[in-house]
Amino acid sequence: MLYDAVGVGSFERGTGNSAGWDMGRTRENRKSGGQDRPTIALVLLLSEPRFLDEKSLAKLVEKAWGLPANWSQKAGNSGKGKSPLLRIHAEGRAFVVQNVDAPYFDEPKKAAQEMRELRLRKVVAEHRAWLSVEYYGSEKGESAGTIYQLIGKLIAELCDNDCLAVLCPATGGINIYDDEIRLGLCEKNPMELLSSFSHAPVLSVSQADPRMRQAVAEARKRWPEFVGAFENRSADQHFSVRAPFGDGQHTEFMWVGVTAIENDIIYGELGNEPLWVRGMSAGETVKVRVGDMNDWMFTEGERMRGGFTIEAIRQAEGDGK
């Protein structure tokens, strides 16, 4: 069964955890002679190859960095090349843009299997192309943070509907792409943005796992606590339950933001985007039978009550079961 966990999973380079991978197997690292050196770059994993030429890249550079329309015509500035390799020289800084019609990982399916977080596993296994912006030098001696912010703004302009994920080769930080990530690339330090996973990680955990069985039993036993709190809720409280949803082929346990409880039916809004289940999307109205609920949680001031399965999932994620 698939479970949408909350707050689990760290994504560090080469740690062998749910999102770690050996960067030596990536094409970008091989380009640098296979040396294990940090590069100041960001990468987009794409669902299909992207067309990109000098003219279209120049317009994106203008927009991202607020440069005048004739920036490439000034002394020392230029935008040259064609896919898979384009070069940018702007205001004393040099960058290389790679636009490659091939998977980013030498062995994407093998790399995907190392990732226990299933959204990332799917993206790594299925992406077909990649696009990166890498820093090559500056006349100004700027900090890495400044350069990452410039790259982040350009990568944000390069984002489109074919984007699956954004990653930082130097740290191994990775996030599934969405509009929130795109906005963050423009407004935040990309290294910080990609240092933690922005989505509720999805893990495969067996219902037969004794820790899960105990957690589910505890949640169901204490269900009256949730009902009592919901009936006396304040406007600033949030109430959620976790329950299974399926399409006949796949089943996923997902969180639902509760809006009403009537008899043995829980009404609410689906809290996250399904990974495999078809015909459903985050935010849509759903209903759950109380008997199908396997966890609950609600806020109480700064505290979170419930969430019995969360620790069980953390433990399963930690020991690889």
Side-chain angles (χ1 to χ4, degrees):
M1 294 295 180
L2 304 187
Y3 284 84
D4 284 277
V6 176
V8 301
S10 59
F11 303 92
E12 299 176 0
R13 173 183 172 187
T15 60
N17 60 16
S18 60
W21 60 81
D22 179 357
M23 293 301 294
R25 288 202 300 270
T26 66
R27 294 175 181 274
E28 181 165 295
N29 188 263
R30 188 177 64 209
K31 168 188 65 63
S32 300
Q35 297 178 358
D36 187 12
R37 65 178 182 83
T39 58
I40 301 179
L42 296 176
V43 180
L44 295 175
L45 302 186
L46 307 177
S47 61
E48 57 188 10
R50 173 84 66 85
F51 173 79
L52 186 65
D53 61 9
E54 292 180 22
K55 186 175 181 180
S56 57
L57 178 60
K59 290 182 179 179
L60 295 173
V61 170
E62 292 167 13
K63 187 175 181 181
W65 296 341
L67 301 178
N70 63 344
W71 69 271
S72 61
Q73 299 173 16
K74 293 184 178 180
N77 290 348
S78 65
K80 296 181 178 179
K82 60 181 180 179
S83 293
L85 196 66
L86 298 97
R87 295 178 175 83
I88 301 170
H89 292 272
E91 299 188 325
R93 307 181 186 100
F95 299 86
V96 167
V97 177
Q98 296 189 78
N99 182 35
V100 181
D101 179 7
Y104 180 71
F105 298 88
D106 287 343
E107 299 179 84
K109 291 184 178 179
K110 186 174 180 180
Q113 289 303 312
E114 295 180 2
M115 299 181 177
R116 293 201 66 240
E117 204 293 316
L118 299 184
R119 293 188 195 276
L120 288 175
R121 181 182 294 181
K122 188 171 186 288
V123 162
V124 169
E126 295 182 358
H127 79 286
R128 293 291 175 265
W130 59 279
L131 193 158
S132 71
V133 179
E134 182 177 352
Y135 170 69
Y136 258 68
S138 172
E139 300 172 359
K140 304 180 181 183
E142 296 164 302
S143 68
T146 297
I147 299 300
Y148 268 113
Q149 288 177 324
L150 287 168
I151 292 176
K153 290 179 179 179
L154 181 53
I155 280 285
E157 292 300 327
L158 287 162
C159 289
D160 207 337
N161 294 332
D162 57 359
C163 294
L164 300 175
V166 186
L167 67 90
C168 177
T171 65
I174 186 169
N175 253 309
I176 300 296
Y177 173 75
D178 59 16
D179 289 340
E180 184 177 343
I181 290 295
R182 186 183 186 281
L183 183 62
L185 288 168
C186 296
E187 298 180 350
K188 301 178 182 179
N189 184 321
M191 291 189 74
E192 295 178 3
L193 178 70
L194 300 177
S195 65
S196 58
F197 202 47
S198 62
H199 297 263
V202 181
L203 304 171
S204 180
V205 182
S206 171
Q207 288 195 93
D209 187 308
R211 294 165 296 196
M212 286 298 299
R213 294 178 66 178
Q214 183 178 352
V216 171
E218 183 75 5
R220 289 173 175 167
K221 177 182 176 181
R222 297 173 58 178
W223 173 244
E225 292 180 31
F226 183 94
V227 175
F230 186 77
E231 290 176 346
N232 296 283
R233 64 192 181 278
S234 59
D236 61 345
Q237 285 187 285
H238 301 279
F239 290 77
S240 299
V241 299
R242 175 184 273 144
F245 295 89
D247 59 8
Q249 290 185 313
H250 305 97
T251 299
E252 296 180 46
F253 283 77
M254 294 180 279
W255 287 99
V256 174
V258 178
T259 57
I261 303 174
E262 297 181 6
N263 300 319
D264 289 329
I265 302 296
I266 306 164
Y267 298 88
E269 295 181 352
L270 195 63
N272 47 270
E273 205 69 37
L275 177 61
W276 298 108
V277 172
R278 297 169 296 180
M280 302 185 73
S281 58
E284 74 173 79
T285 300
V286 295
K287 60 182 180 180
V288 175
R289 294 186 304 173
V290 170
D292 291 334
M293 177 275 307
N294 82 334
D295 200 359
W296 54 261
M297 62 183 181
F298 63 88
T299 57
E300 190 174 65
E302 295 184 356
R303 293 180 57 199
M304 183 70 73
R305 295 278 300 276
F308 305 97
T309 62
I310 294 173
E311 182 58 30
I313 294 173
R314 282 197 181 109
Q315 292 175 11
E317 190 268 347
D319 62 21
K321 292 182 180 180

